[in-house]
């Protein structure tokens, strides 16, 4: 019997790649997407593969969600408001879209007898990444406004006052969300974990690191930094790099993320009732924001990046992944290198601007 999959947010950047990959694999796929105007261009229907069922509706709407889950075996929950946001006025939308939307979905899944969920989570649940000082591992405190204003961007050790040394964060690190978006993603995981315990469900929470690739959104403050730099270069402008450009990140190609989702879907079928497990999804290849801006500029022959020294209080300095659990337990391996992926992304099509035609 052909397995049946619902992908919420399946018209979005990551969701659409999951949909395409699952459809190629032979799944029956249903997409639920609201086509939010702050994410999508104005259009009558999203570009989805022929044979994929599309339900237009918001994940916070119980009727739309009930219709979408009818007859499916497993859910891949990609729908969310993403990014750091513009200001704290975005807080109600983050909480509503991400937390309430997840609760509505889990309720509908329970009513429909669906017991398997893959949840798109994020590295932001960790706050800062893994650090150590001369005395060993230590949790990084929030950076002070005085340091940031003075151009001192490295987190300091509360024990020695010296800059901390960054490392790779693993899934056993405590959650320490430091902005509204991060809080909402941590809450999604906690709601899913509670659902699994109470209903006998099975959850894989995929903590995405910096996802990039063809089809990224453009011209929106909620896009990832790679999309912002690419949009600037496309307009003939220099990428504006905050702080000193030394922020360490793990950039992972969207097609590798889609493959991680398919493996996680299969993993949920093999787990005992009540299971919930988090997996980092990162390449394991550390690069800085400044490096990423430079490779995009070179690939497009555009202006050199400008290091601005600007900062945002909700940003973290270094966050890079250990994806050993995903590799060891699910057999996942990233296929696209940073250099090849960024050169491809530099000239790949992006989504039409949000709200545009």
């Amino acid at each position: 019997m052909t397995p049946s999959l619902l992908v919420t947010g399946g018209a979005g950047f990551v969701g659409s790649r999951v949909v395409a990959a699952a459809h190629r694999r032979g799944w029956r796929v249903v997409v639920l997407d609201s086509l939010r105007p702050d994410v999508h261009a104005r259009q009558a229907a999203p570009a989805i593969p022929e044979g994929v069922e599309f339900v237009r509706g918001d994940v916070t709407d119980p009727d739309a969600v009930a219709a979408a889950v009818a007859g499916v075996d497993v859910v891949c929950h990609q729908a969310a408001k993403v990014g750091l946001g513009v200001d704290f006025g975005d807080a109600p939308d983050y909480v509503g879209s991400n937390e309430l939307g997840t609760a509505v979905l889990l309720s509908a899944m329970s009513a429909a007898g669906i017991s398997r969920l893959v949840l798109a989570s994020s590295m932001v649940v960790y706050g800062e990444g893994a650090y150590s000082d001369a005395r060993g591992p230590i949790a990084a405190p929030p950076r002070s406004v005085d340091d940031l204003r003075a151009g001192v961007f490295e987190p300091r050790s509360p024990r020695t006052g010296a800059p901390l040394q960054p490392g790779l964060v693993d899934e056993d690190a405590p959650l320490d969300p430091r902005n509204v978006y991060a809080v909402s993603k941590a809450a999604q995981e906690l709601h899913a974990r509670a659902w699994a315990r109470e209903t006998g469900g099975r959850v894989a929470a995929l903590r995405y690191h910096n996802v990039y690739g063809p089809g990224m959104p453009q011209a929106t403050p909620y896009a990832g930094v790679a999309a912002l730099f690419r949009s600037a270069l496309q307009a003939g402008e220099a990428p504006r790099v905050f702080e000193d450009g030394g922020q360490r990140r793990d950039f992972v190609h969207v097609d590798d993320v889609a493959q991680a989702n398919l493996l996680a879907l299969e993993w949920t079928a093999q787990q005992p009732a009540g299971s919930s497990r988090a997996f980092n999804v990162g390449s394991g290849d550390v690069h800085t924001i400044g490096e990423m801006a430079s490779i995009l500029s070179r690939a497009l022959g555009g202006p050199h990046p400008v290091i601005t020294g600007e900062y945002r209080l909700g940003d973290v300095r270094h966050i890079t992944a250990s994806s050993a659990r995903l590799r060891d337990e699910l057999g996942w391996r990233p296929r696209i290198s940073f250099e090849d992926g960024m050169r491809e992304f530099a000239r790949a099509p992006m989504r039409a601007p949000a709200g545009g035609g």
Side-chain angles (χ1 to χ4, degrees):
M1 184 176 177
T2 302
S4 181
L5 167 68
L6 169 65
V7 182
T8 70
F13 170 46
V14 176
S16 63
R17 305 299 267 220
V18 174
V19 168
H23 184 61
R24 288 194 299 268
R25 190 72 64 87
W27 289 73
R28 172 184 168 261
V29 183
V30 179
V31 168
L32 173 67
D33 202 299
S34 65
L35 303 181
R36 290 177 57 127
D38 60 346
V39 176
H40 296 272
R42 291 190 305 271
Q43 52 188 16
I48 60 174
E50 184 178 354
V52 170
E53 180 183 347
F54 177 69
V55 177
R56 182 165 186 173
D58 197 286
V59 74
T60 62
D61 179 353
D63 292 335
V65 175
V69 300
V72 304
D73 302 307
V74 59
V75 174
C76 186
H77 184 28
Q78 304 289 326
K81 183 179 176 72
V82 301
L84 185 58
V86 176
D87 54 38
F88 208 81
D90 282 329
D93 197 8
Y94 277 112
V95 173
S97 299
N98 298 356
E99 296 188 46
L100 176 60
T102 299
V104 170
L105 175 65
L106 294 171
S107 175
M109 291 174 63
S110 179
I114 301 168
S115 63
R116 296 163 55 199
L117 173 69
V118 173
L119 171 67
S121 187
S122 171
M123 66 180 187
V124 297
V125 300
Y126 296 117
E128 288 282 353
Y131 289 88
S132 61
D133 65 7
R135 301 180 190 176
I138 189 172
R143 297 180 291 172
S144 74
V145 175
D146 288 343
D147 275 354
L148 293 170
R149 285 175 177 166
V152 178
F153 299 119
E154 297 296 336
R156 296 177 185 266
S157 168
R159 297 187 291 215
T160 68
L164 292 170
Q165 298 301 309
L168 301 182
V169 66
D170 64 29
E171 295 87 350
D172 293 328
L175 303 189
D176 184 21
R178 297 190 176 184
N179 57 59
V180 173
Y181 170 57
V183 170
S184 73
K185 297 306 287 185
Q188 283 186 305
E189 287 198 29
L190 295 174
H191 287 304
R193 192 183 306 170
W195 167 83
R197 282 197 304 266
E198 294 184 24
T199 68
R202 301 156 178 86
V203 178
L206 302 184
R207 293 173 178 166
Y208 299 164
H209 284 247
N210 286 75
V211 186
Y212 74 96
M216 281 193 86
Q218 60 178 313
T220 167
Y222 305 101
V225 66
L228 298 177
F229 290 167
R230 165 67 197 278
S231 295
L233 288 163
Q234 196 166 294
E237 302 169 359
R240 295 178 59 80
V241 182
F242 280 18
E243 301 187 15
D244 59 2
Q247 307 94 309
R248 291 158 54 102
R249 296 291 187 268
D250 188 321
F251 297 96
V252 58
H253 194 278
V254 65
D255 287 338
D256 286 329
V257 173
Q259 179 64 18
N261 274 272
L262 293 191
L263 291 170
L265 289 167
E266 296 168 0
W267 177 89
T268 60
Q270 303 162 8
Q271 303 311 304
S275 300
S276 180
R277 194 149 173 81
F279 297 91
N280 285 335
V281 184
S283 69
D285 192 12
V286 176
H287 294 276
T288 67
I289 298 288
E291 284 181 82
M292 187 263 288
S294 293
I295 196 172
L296 288 177
S297 293
R298 290 195 301 272
L300 283 168
H304 292 296
V306 174
I307 307 299
T308 70
E310 297 172 87
Y311 62 86
R312 298 188 300 181
L313 290 178
D315 280 341
V316 297
R317 178 63 175 173
H318 303 301
I319 177 70
T320 53
S322 167
S323 296
R325 180 181 291 181
L326 187 64
R327 294 167 185 252
D328 294 345
E329 297 184 16
L330 274 66
W332 177 83
R333 297 290 185 277
R335 301 173 181 174
I336 301 170
S337 72
F338 173 78
E339 291 77 11
D340 290 345
M342 284 295 171
R343 282 193 289 266
E344 173 210 32
F345 173 59
R347 298 187 179 277
M350 296 179 72
R351 288 174 178 262

